Amino acid sequence: MALPERQTDIGPPKYDAYLPPVIKENYGKWKYHEVLTPGTMVHVAEGGDKIYTVRAASPRILSTESIREICDLSEKYCDGYLRFTTRNNIEFLVSDKGKIDPLLAELKERKYTVGGIGPRISNVIHTQGWVHCHSACTDASGIVKAMMDELYEYFTTKELPNKVRLAVACCVNMCGAVHCSDIAVVAVHRKAPTIDDANVGKMCEIPTTVGSCPTSAIRPNPKDKTVVINEEKCMYCGNCFTVCPPIDIHRPEDDGVAIVVGGKISSLRTDPKFSKLAIPFLFNEPPRWPKVVDAIKNILETYAKHARKHERVGEWIERIGWESFFKLTGIEFTYQHIDDFTFMRDTLRTSAAFKF
Amino acid sequence: MGKYETPMLDELEKGPWPSFVTELKKATKVSPMADDELGQLEKSFQTKRGYWKHGGIVGVLGYGGGVIGRYSSIPDEFPGVAHFHTVRINQTSGFFYTAEALRMICDIWDKYGSGLTNMHGSTGDLVLLGTTTENLEAIFAEYSSRGWDLGSSGSAMRTPSCCVGMGRCEWACIDTMDFTYHITQHFQDEMHRPAYPYKFKIKTAGCACDCVAAIARADLSIIGTWKDKIRIDQAEVKNYADKGMDIQGEIIDLCPTECMVYDGGEIKINDVECNRCMHCIAKMTKALRPGLDKGATILVGAKAPIVVGSLLSWVLIPFIKMDPPYEEITEKIEAIIEWWDDTAKPRERIGELIEVKGMRPLLEAADIPPVPQQVKEPRKDPFFFWAESDFDK
């Protein structure tokens, strides 16, 4: 069958073709919004028009069958209009208030997870993991599923002092905002890579490979058309593997995940912050990563118990001090927590005032 | 039961949170590729390692990006995913869709691919997961003839993305969706034909809440703000108090600049001292609103940890107007990118380049004056450069 004629460099369709009429009419004229329930909110325009949003979680990986079901629901209740959020939630855009309850009832019947609005956990930003990535050293979707089954009520109902943004990255490339999340999981290696010398010469550009190392641990071995790694300098980032596949960083029995905490991206109250190391290593334990899930729940619930209203995880920790964070959570402090890389100068303590 | 036994993955169909495993199983009804994806993933769960090779060079004629080659490292065992390439479709601004459009996207994908998607990928694209090399041209023809283009990949302008902005948010100080559409169209060539030293991401957020994580995830972060006074509806302030809000404790005491007072009746703000952090506005949505002299702060440099540590974007232009046709901001972005493109080594992000060269060359190249808003504090060391041009002043 003949294919239709291709077009190039047309860019995406213009957004206005996909806006519900009430949004088109009130574009840029919204006055305020109110969170009605953990999964619903209303935005009110200057002239009084309203748009209701019903938010449901998606597992980020969606089959076309599920997308069609979402389409059917949007046609039944929202004249076919919907959107996704930057955190992979589905948002049904309801113009007719009377359709909210029937929509919520059908979502409940079909076992959708409605929530994520306000001071609670929203959906989890995560990466591809073993599902589809060459450099993954854990499975992101698997950890997210295990974690959110356990923290489910913090999405659907329970309140926290403020929003808690969770993320999972399946390697230190971090294709997501793990480095600025309230609580995040990042997969790490712990041993220097092995080198398949015979293939390095065939498959890799030596200067690029040498240049890929942040600690200058790689030097060329021109005689054998390969490279040599100084294992004492290697910090196991895997960037050499990315540019040179015969350098294999994967060691399933030694790989696992670290947990980082206290990041944020908004400027509310305090500046955006990087996440910092809480737990340097936990083993991969598929399919449910029980120790990872327990560790996250412990941090979350310690925060929920001790933080003041409106404090994000990072703001709470800065107020009480990191020494208190480790004490309250019972997390062991190790050599790995003390930065010996680019941020060392900024992170060592230069004051005699601290807590025991 | 499917083609393979998947006891570990089956475990992840239990529990209340939506299951990606259920999605993978649904896709097996569309394509046998999804069976082998499930089989290989079960093997990963059993052995704790992935089985994907590095991306190969695949794509569509005339484009150098938008498709990421993905091949199984054990194709004899899982032939259905021997090729399992990713196709990035440029999402709409603000991720708005109609059922009709999404069904069209699904119909084409079912015909040529695995039936699996990501709604959406980390950069923002609508991601189609898993197809073969021979289907790529057909996929591109089907989508582009219906008005949908590929996103980008590799050392290119990456698909710009934004928050919902004026579409459904009262805090949007700039039209994030329209600007993102504009800048995406402006950089079509740079998106589809990778010719930069490395990737370059632009994200646009309507206010300092930054729902698109621009400040953490974009080489060029555009964040809406205002210069005049926060608008106050004192009647609504009273309503919040009447409903029991502790205005002193939750709003006034948490203001980082201590620029607000509350006398039990009205809120007064010393706007000169306000740093526009959004806390009070976000907590009193009916009483407080951003001002009316709106524009954006432009920041530069954010990236994830590879190679020598994460960066958050640094302030470059404290305030710039963002009204159509966006001439000034577009010129500035072009100048910033040109400096990086001309100066950077291969695989060097703009934040890393600034760390090597300092901020001055970029400021000069883009004709941006040095201002205190660019720094948290002036330098602490006594080592600084002088240029000949400094002596003429």
Side-chain angles (χ1 to χ4, degrees), chain A residues 1 3-15 17-19 23 27-28 30-34 41 43 46 51 53 57 59-68 71-72 74-75 80-84 86 88 91 93 113 123 128 130-134 139 141-142 145 148-149 152 155 162 172-177 179-180 212 214 237 239 241-243 245 250 252-253 265-269 272 274 284 286-289 309-310 341-343, chain B residues 8 11-12 14-18 20 23 26 29 37 41 44-45 47-50 52-54 61 63 70 84 86 90-91 93-99 101-103 106-107 110-112 115-122 129 137-138 140-141 144-145 147-149 164 166-171 175 177-178 181 184-185 188 192-193 208-211 213 215-217 250 254 256 277-279 283 285-286 289 303-308 310-312 347:
Chain A
M1 198 180 73
L3 286 170
E5 193 173 344
R6 77 209 294 270
Q7 303 184 76
T8 55
D9 298 316
I10 56 171
K14 197 165 182 206
Y15 55 91
Y18 306 100
L19 302 178
I23 284 188
Y27 193 88
W30 299 104
K31 191 175 178 195
Y32 68 90
H33 79 279
E34 284 184 292
M41 57 182 165
H43 285 78
E46 300 275 8
I51 180 95
T53 299
R60 183 168 179 264
I61 294 175
L62 281 178
S63 63
T64 48
E65 182 180 320
S66 290
I67 295 174
R68 286 197 180 86
C71 290
D72 292 345
S74 83
E75 277 182 339
Y81 294 101
L82 73 157
R83 70 177 291 267
F84 291 83
T86 52
N88 312 312
E91 287 189 337
L93 302 167
T113 298
N123 209 338
Q128 299 289 21
W130 291 329
V131 170
H132 208 227
C133 185
H134 67 288
D139 186 58
S141 310
K145 167 69 176 152
M148 289 310 292
D149 277 343
Y152 191 73
F155 184 91
N162 202 335
V172 294
N173 276 303
M174 290 191 190
C175 307
H179 58 301
C180 295
S212 73
C237 72
N239 200 35
F241 166 72
T242 297
V243 300
H250 295 284
E253 294 312 318
I265 50 161
S266 82
S267 295
L268 273 66
R269 299 170 302 283
F274 291 120
N284 273 324
R288 284 209 170 262
W289 283 266
K309 193 173 181 185
H310 302 310
F341 196 43
T342 42
F343 296 117
Chain B
M8 284 189 122
E11 171 59 32
L12 292 177
K14 300 171 191 164
W17 188 254
F20 70 103
E23 297 303 313
K26 281 182 181 175
K29 290 182 242 169
E37 162 70 31
L41 185 61
S44 285
F45 270 60
T47 59
K48 302 181 192 178
R49 68 164 301 157
W52 298 105
K53 292 204 279 191
H54 283 62
L61 196 66
Y63 277 21
R70 190 61 75 206
F84 204 65
T86 300
N90 199 144
Q91 83 285 4
S93 282
F95 310 105
F96 282 91
Y97 297 95
T98 57
L102 282 180
R103 278 205 198 96
C106 291
D107 290 346
D110 281 355
K111 194 168 157 189
Y112 297 102
L116 288 168
T117 75
N118 286 150
M119 300 296 285
H120 293 74
S122 290
L129 283 178
E137 282 299 333
F140 181 57
S144 66
S145 64
W148 294 78
D149 205 340
V164 70
M166 292 186 175
R168 199 206 50 201
C169 183
E170 68 271 25
W171 301 330
D175 191 345
M177 285 170 49
D178 191 60
Y181 180 74
T184 306
Q185 293 293 351
Q188 282 295 298
H192 292 135
R193 288 158 207 93
C209 292
D210 197 359
C211 291
I215 205 164
R217 300 171 69 185
E250 290 189 46
L254 294 183
C277 83
M278 289 296 293
H279 170 76
K283 304 306 168 194
T285 57
K286 292 171 93 166
R289 306 170 75 186
K303 55 178 273 298
I306 296 289
V307 181
V308 288
S310 313
L311 298 175
L312 280 155
R347 284 173 60 83

Side-chain angles (χ1 to χ4, degrees), chain A residues 13-196:
Chain A
K14 197 165 182 206
Y15 55 91
D16 51 5
Y18 306 100
L19 302 178
V22 65
I23 284 188
K24 259 189 180 169
E25 282 154 28
N26 295 288
Y27 193 88
K29 295 180 207 156
W30 299 104
K31 191 175 178 195
Y32 68 90
H33 79 279
E34 284 184 292
V35 178
L36 304 173
T37 70
T40 58
M41 57 182 165
V42 60
H43 285 78
V44 183
E46 300 275 8
D49 284 349
K50 292 177 180 173
I51 180 95
Y52 296 88
T53 299
V54 175
R55 184 181 289 177
S58 94
R60 183 168 179 264
I61 294 175
L62 281 178
S63 63
T64 48
E65 182 180 320
S66 290
I67 295 174
R68 286 197 180 86
E69 183 178 284
I70 295 161
C71 290
D72 292 345
L73 289 166
S74 83
E75 277 182 339
K76 199 164 164 187
Y77 300 101
C78 320
D79 305 313
Y81 294 101
L82 73 157
R83 70 177 291 267
F84 291 83
T85 71
T86 52
R87 302 190 75 87
N88 312 312
N89 296 298
I90 305 150
E91 287 189 337
F92 296 97
L93 302 167
V94 188
S95 304
D96 177 354
K97 191 182 179 187
K99 288 185 176 168
I100 296 174
D101 287 337
L103 169 59
L104 287 170
E106 183 158 357
L107 289 171
K108 190 175 179 189
E109 187 190 317
R110 291 178 181 269
K111 297 196 163 29
Y112 279 73
T113 298
V114 173
I117 304 176
R120 43 185 62 83
I121 292 174
S122 182
N123 209 338
V124 184
I125 291 290
H126 70 92
T127 57
Q128 299 289 21
W130 291 329
V131 170
H132 208 227
C133 185
H134 67 288
S135 70
C137 69
T138 193
D139 186 58
S141 310
I143 293 181
V144 169
K145 167 69 176 152
M147 178 166 92
M148 289 310 292
D149 277 343
E150 188 64 32
L151 303 178
Y152 191 73
E153 289 179 332
Y154 290 105
F155 184 91
T156 57
T157 47
K158 280 189 185 172
E159 277 204 16
L160 290 160
N162 202 335
K163 298 172 195 299
V164 176
R165 297 302 186 221
L166 305 177
V168 177
C170 55
C171 81
V172 294
N173 276 303
M174 290 191 190
C175 307
V178 165
H179 58 301
C180 295
S181 301
D182 291 275
I183 306 174
V185 177
V186 55
V188 291
H189 304 284
R190 292 186 300 163
K191 289 189 178 167
T194 54
I195 306 174
D196 174 5

Side-chain angles (χ1 to χ4, degrees), chain B residues 21-310:
Chain B
V21 177
T22 303
E23 297 303 313
L24 295 172
K25 288 186 177 177
K26 281 182 181 175
T28 64
K29 290 182 242 169
V30 170
S31 164
M33 297 173 90
D35 280 304
D36 282 27
E37 162 70 31
L38 263 173
Q40 183 173 307
L41 185 61
E42 175 70 19
K43 184 170 172 129
S44 285
F45 270 60
Q46 301 278 357
T47 59
K48 302 181 192 178
R49 68 164 301 157
Y51 294 96
W52 298 105
K53 292 204 279 191
H54 283 62
I57 306 287
V58 290
V60 301
L61 196 66
Y63 277 21
V67 180
I68 299 99
R70 190 61 75 206
Y71 302 89
S72 172
S73 64
I74 43 174
D76 294 341
E77 208 173 329
F78 299 103
V81 290
H83 298 206
F84 204 65
H85 308 323
T86 300
V87 179
R88 290 183 178 162
I89 302 288
N90 199 144
Q91 83 285 4
T92 55
S93 282
F95 310 105
F96 282 91
Y97 297 95
T98 57
E100 188 189 358
L102 282 180
R103 278 205 198 96
M104 179 278 292
I105 286 167
C106 291
D107 290 346
I108 295 170
W109 186 231
D110 281 355
K111 194 168 157 189
Y112 297 102
S114 72
L116 288 168
T117 75
N118 286 150
M119 300 296 285
H120 293 74
S122 290
T123 301
D125 298 283
L126 192 167
V127 173
L128 304 174
L129 283 178
T131 189
T132 57
T133 307
E134 58 266 30
N135 280 343
L136 294 173
E137 282 299 333
I139 288 169
F140 181 57
E142 297 266 21
Y143 283 117
S144 66
S145 64
R146 289 170 175 80
W148 294 78
D149 205 340
L150 297 187
S152 72
S153 60
S155 295
M157 172 62 72
R158 292 299 186 86
T159 312
S161 77
C162 63
C163 70
V164 70
M166 292 186 175
R168 199 206 50 201
C169 183
E170 68 271 25
W171 301 330
C173 294
I174 53 177
D175 191 345
T176 61
M177 285 170 49
D178 191 60
F179 175 75
T180 296
Y181 180 74
H182 157 79
I183 208 71
T184 306
Q185 293 293 351
H186 183 82
F187 282 113
Q188 282 295 298
D189 188 35
E190 291 81 356
M191 279 177 65
H192 292 135
R193 288 158 207 93
Y196 285 160
Y198 205 14
K199 62 187 86 171
F200 194 93
K201 300 183 180 183
I202 298 177
K203 291 188 193 294
T204 306
C207 78
C209 292
D210 197 359
C211 291
V212 70
I215 205 164
R217 300 171 69 185
D219 297 272
L220 193 96
S221 320
I222 300 174
I223 298 178
T225 192
W226 67 94
K227 278 186 113 169
D228 53 343
K229 292 168 184 282
I230 290 177
R231 286 176 284 167
I232 308 176
D233 183 336
Q234 299 291 0
E236 290 293 347
V237 171
K238 192 170 180 312
N239 280 338
Y240 276 105
D242 290 346
K243 283 181 191 159
M245 179 186 263
D246 172 12
I247 292 175
Q248 185 64 41
E250 290 189 46
I251 308 297
I252 310 296
D253 294 348
L254 294 183
C255 172
T257 63
E258 300 176 22
C259 72
M260 309 176 79
V261 289
Y262 175 62
D263 62 7
E266 296 197 337
I267 284 179
K268 290 199 174 60
I269 301 175
N270 180 6
D271 287 275
V272 178
E273 293 299 322
C274 171
N275 69 0
R276 298 155 291 103
C277 83
M278 289 296 293
H279 170 76
C280 60
I281 293 173
K283 304 306 168 194
M284 301 183 82
T285 57
K286 292 171 93 166
L288 304 174
R289 306 170 75 186
L292 291 166
D293 183 10
K294 294 169 179 174
T297 301
I298 310 301
L299 308 91
V300 71
K303 55 178 273 298
I306 296 289
V307 181
V308 288
S310 313

